[in-house]
Short mmCIF file of all heavy atoms in Angstrom, two decimals:
data_model
loop_
_atom_site.label_atom_id
_atom_site.label_comp_id
_atom_site.label_asym_id
_atom_site.label_seq_id
_atom_site.Cartn_x
_atom_site.Cartn_y
_atom_site.Cartn_z
N ALA A 9 -3.36 -5.63 -2.82
CA ALA A 9 -2.07 -5.34 -3.46
C ALA A 9 -1.01 -6.26 -2.86
O ALA A 9 -0.94 -6.42 -1.65
CB ALA A 9 -1.67 -3.87 -3.24
N GLY A 10 -0.22 -6.86 -3.73
CA GLY A 10 0.85 -7.76 -3.27
C GLY A 10 2.18 -7.02 -3.28
O GLY A 10 2.61 -6.52 -4.33
N ASN A 11 2.78 -6.92 -2.11
CA ASN A 11 4.09 -6.29 -2.01
C ASN A 11 5.15 -7.38 -1.95
O ASN A 11 5.33 -8.03 -0.93
CB ASN A 11 4.11 -5.45 -0.70
CG ASN A 11 5.47 -4.85 -0.41
OD1 ASN A 11 6.36 -4.84 -1.27
ND2 ASN A 11 5.64 -4.34 0.80
N TRP A 12 5.80 -7.58 -3.07
CA TRP A 12 6.74 -8.71 -3.19
C TRP A 12 8.04 -8.45 -2.41
O TRP A 12 8.84 -9.35 -2.22
CB TRP A 12 7.05 -9.02 -4.65
CG TRP A 12 5.89 -9.51 -5.46
CD1 TRP A 12 4.60 -9.67 -5.03
CD2 TRP A 12 5.94 -9.94 -6.83
NE1 TRP A 12 3.83 -10.17 -6.09
CE2 TRP A 12 4.62 -10.33 -7.18
CE3 TRP A 12 6.95 -10.02 -7.79
CZ2 TRP A 12 4.31 -10.79 -8.45
CZ3 TRP A 12 6.65 -10.49 -9.06
CH2 TRP A 12 5.32 -10.88 -9.41
N LYS A 13 8.26 -7.20 -2.02
CA LYS A 13 9.51 -6.83 -1.32
C LYS A 13 10.72 -7.29 -2.14
O LYS A 13 10.65 -7.29 -3.35
CB LYS A 13 9.50 -7.38 0.11
CG LYS A 13 8.25 -6.98 0.86
CD LYS A 13 8.29 -7.23 2.32
CE LYS A 13 6.99 -6.81 2.97
NZ LYS A 13 6.99 -6.95 4.42
N ILE A 95 4.25 2.04 -4.24
CA ILE A 95 4.12 2.08 -2.78
C ILE A 95 5.10 3.12 -2.29
O ILE A 95 6.19 3.26 -2.82
CB ILE A 95 4.48 0.69 -2.17
CG1 ILE A 95 3.52 -0.39 -2.65
CG2 ILE A 95 4.55 0.77 -0.66
CD1 ILE A 95 3.96 -1.81 -2.23
N HIS A 98 6.77 2.66 3.06
CA HIS A 98 6.69 1.39 3.75
C HIS A 98 7.58 1.45 5.00
O HIS A 98 8.66 2.05 4.98
CB HIS A 98 7.14 0.24 2.84
CG HIS A 98 6.79 -1.09 3.43
ND1 HIS A 98 7.58 -1.67 4.39
CD2 HIS A 98 5.74 -1.90 3.23
CE1 HIS A 98 7.02 -2.80 4.75
NE2 HIS A 98 5.91 -2.99 4.07
N SER A 99 7.17 0.79 6.07
CA SER A 99 7.92 0.90 7.32
C SER A 99 9.34 0.36 7.17
O SER A 99 10.24 0.83 7.87
CB SER A 99 7.20 0.15 8.43
OG SER A 99 7.11 -1.22 8.10
N GLU A 100 9.55 -0.58 6.26
CA GLU A 100 10.93 -1.07 6.05
C GLU A 100 11.81 0.02 5.46
O GLU A 100 12.98 0.11 5.73
CB GLU A 100 10.90 -2.34 5.18
CG GLU A 100 10.36 -3.53 5.98
CD GLU A 100 9.62 -4.57 5.16
OE1 GLU A 100 9.72 -4.58 3.94
OE2 GLU A 100 8.90 -5.39 5.81
N CYS A 129 2.05 4.17 2.98
CA CYS A 129 1.98 3.34 4.18
C CYS A 129 2.20 4.16 5.45
O CYS A 129 3.09 5.02 5.49
CB CYS A 129 3.04 2.25 4.16
SG CYS A 129 2.96 1.21 2.70
N ALA A 168 -2.31 2.82 3.33
CA ALA A 168 -2.20 1.46 3.90
C ALA A 168 -1.76 1.56 5.34
O ALA A 168 -0.69 2.13 5.63
CB ALA A 168 -1.20 0.63 3.10
N GLU A 170 -0.23 -0.22 8.27
CA GLU A 170 0.56 -1.43 8.53
C GLU A 170 1.26 -1.31 9.86
O GLU A 170 2.34 -0.72 9.96
CB GLU A 170 1.61 -1.61 7.42
CG GLU A 170 1.01 -1.76 6.05
CD GLU A 170 1.94 -2.54 5.13
OE1 GLU A 170 3.14 -2.19 5.06
OE2 GLU A 170 1.47 -3.51 4.53
N PRO A 171 0.66 -1.86 10.94
CA PRO A 171 1.35 -1.84 12.22
C PRO A 171 2.68 -2.62 12.08
O PRO A 171 2.65 -3.77 11.66
CB PRO A 171 0.37 -2.53 13.16
CG PRO A 171 -0.63 -3.23 12.32
CD PRO A 171 -0.62 -2.60 10.97
N VAL A 172 3.78 -1.97 12.43
CA VAL A 172 5.10 -2.59 12.18
C VAL A 172 5.24 -3.91 12.90
O VAL A 172 5.82 -4.86 12.37
CB VAL A 172 6.20 -1.60 12.61
CG1 VAL A 172 7.59 -2.19 12.39
CG2 VAL A 172 6.08 -0.28 11.82
N ALA A 174 3.17 -6.13 13.26
CA ALA A 174 2.39 -7.19 12.61
C ALA A 174 3.00 -7.63 11.27
O ALA A 174 2.58 -8.58 10.70
CB ALA A 174 0.96 -6.74 12.39
N ILE A 175 4.03 -6.89 10.82
CA ILE A 175 4.59 -7.17 9.49
C ILE A 175 5.56 -8.33 9.54
O ILE A 175 6.58 -8.26 10.23
CB ILE A 175 5.28 -5.92 8.89
CG1 ILE A 175 4.24 -4.83 8.66
CG2 ILE A 175 6.00 -6.27 7.61
CD1 ILE A 175 4.82 -3.51 8.16
N GLY A 176 5.23 -9.38 8.80
CA GLY A 176 6.11 -10.53 8.66
C GLY A 176 6.31 -11.29 9.98
O GLY A 176 7.20 -12.14 10.08
N THR A 177 5.50 -11.01 10.99
CA THR A 177 5.69 -11.63 12.29
C THR A 177 4.67 -12.74 12.54
O THR A 177 4.78 -13.47 13.51
CB THR A 177 5.50 -10.58 13.42
OG1 THR A 177 4.16 -10.01 13.27
CG2 THR A 177 6.54 -9.49 13.33
N GLY A 178 3.66 -12.81 11.68
CA GLY A 178 2.59 -13.78 11.89
C GLY A 178 1.58 -13.27 12.93
O GLY A 178 0.58 -13.92 13.22
N LYS A 179 1.88 -12.10 13.49
CA LYS A 179 1.01 -11.50 14.52
C LYS A 179 0.11 -10.49 13.84
O LYS A 179 0.52 -9.37 13.59
CB LYS A 179 1.93 -10.71 15.46
CG LYS A 179 1.94 -11.11 16.88
CD LYS A 179 2.72 -10.04 17.63
CE LYS A 179 2.90 -10.36 19.07
NZ LYS A 179 3.62 -9.23 19.73
N TYR A 213 -5.35 -2.61 4.92
CA TYR A 213 -4.64 -3.11 6.09
C TYR A 213 -3.47 -4.00 5.64
O TYR A 213 -3.61 -4.76 4.67
CB TYR A 213 -5.57 -3.96 6.99
CG TYR A 213 -4.76 -4.70 8.00
CD1 TYR A 213 -4.30 -4.05 9.16
CD2 TYR A 213 -4.35 -6.02 7.80
CE1 TYR A 213 -3.46 -4.70 10.05
CE2 TYR A 213 -3.52 -6.68 8.69
CZ TYR A 213 -3.08 -6.01 9.83
OH TYR A 213 -2.23 -6.65 10.70
N GLY A 214 -2.35 -3.92 6.27
CA GLY A 214 -1.21 -4.79 6.00
C GLY A 214 -0.54 -5.25 7.25
O GLY A 214 -0.40 -4.48 8.23
N GLY A 215 -0.06 -6.48 7.23
CA GLY A 215 0.62 -7.06 8.38
C GLY A 215 0.10 -8.47 8.65
O GLY A 215 -0.96 -8.62 9.25
N SER A 216 0.83 -9.47 8.13
CA SER A 216 0.46 -10.87 8.30
C SER A 216 -0.98 -11.17 7.90
O SER A 216 -1.65 -12.01 8.53
CB SER A 216 0.73 -11.30 9.75
OG SER A 216 2.08 -11.16 10.05
N CYS A 217 -1.42 -10.50 6.85
CA CYS A 217 -2.75 -10.78 6.30
C CYS A 217 -2.65 -12.05 5.44
O CYS A 217 -1.71 -12.20 4.66
CB CYS A 217 -3.22 -9.60 5.46
SG CYS A 217 -4.92 -9.73 4.94
N LYS A 218 -3.55 -12.97 5.62
CA LYS A 218 -3.56 -14.22 4.86
C LYS A 218 -4.99 -14.67 4.61
O LYS A 218 -5.92 -14.07 5.18
CB LYS A 218 -2.74 -15.28 5.61
CG LYS A 218 -2.89 -15.31 7.12
CD LYS A 218 -1.88 -16.25 7.73
CE LYS A 218 -2.14 -16.40 9.22
NZ LYS A 218 -1.43 -15.39 10.04
N LEU A 235 -2.72 -4.84 1.93
CA LEU A 235 -1.38 -4.79 1.33
C LEU A 235 -0.67 -6.01 1.88
O LEU A 235 -0.43 -6.12 3.08
CB LEU A 235 -0.65 -3.49 1.69
CG LEU A 235 0.76 -3.33 1.12
CD1 LEU A 235 0.77 -3.46 -0.40
CD2 LEU A 235 1.34 -1.96 1.51
N ILE A 236 -0.38 -6.93 0.98
CA ILE A 236 0.01 -8.29 1.37
C ILE A 236 1.50 -8.52 1.09
O ILE A 236 1.93 -8.37 -0.06
CB ILE A 236 -0.82 -9.34 0.58
CG1 ILE A 236 -2.30 -8.93 0.46
CG2 ILE A 236 -0.65 -10.73 1.17
CD1 ILE A 236 -3.01 -8.73 1.78
N GLY A 237 2.25 -8.94 2.07
CA GLY A 237 3.66 -9.26 1.87
C GLY A 237 3.86 -10.74 1.60
O GLY A 237 3.68 -11.22 0.48
N GLY A 238 4.21 -11.48 2.62
CA GLY A 238 4.53 -12.89 2.48
C GLY A 238 3.52 -13.71 1.69
O GLY A 238 3.89 -14.49 0.80
N ALA A 239 2.23 -13.51 1.98
CA ALA A 239 1.21 -14.30 1.30
C ALA A 239 1.01 -13.91 -0.18
O ALA A 239 0.35 -14.64 -0.92
CB ALA A 239 -0.13 -14.18 2.04
N ALA A 240 1.66 -12.81 -0.59
CA ALA A 240 1.55 -12.41 -2.01
C ALA A 240 2.54 -13.18 -2.89
O ALA A 240 2.49 -13.07 -4.12
CB ALA A 240 1.77 -10.90 -2.16
P1 PGA B 301 3.44 -9.26 5.55
O1 PGA B 301 3.93 -7.87 5.00
O2 PGA B 301 2.10 -9.55 4.88
O3 PGA B 301 4.50 -10.25 5.17
O4 PGA B 301 3.29 -9.13 7.03
C1 PGA B 301 3.03 -6.82 4.68
C2 PGA B 301 3.78 -5.61 4.20
O5 PGA B 301 4.82 -5.28 4.77
O6 PGA B 301 3.36 -4.97 3.21
#
Side-chain angles (χ1 to χ4, degrees):
N11 174 12
W12 294 3
K13 308 192 180 183
I95 296 172
H98 191 280
S99 62
E100 287 149 15
C129 304
E170 299 206 309
V172 179
I175 295 177
T177 57
K179 239 190 185 183
Y213 167 79
S216 299
C217 188
K218 40 188 186 272
L235 180 55
I236 318 302

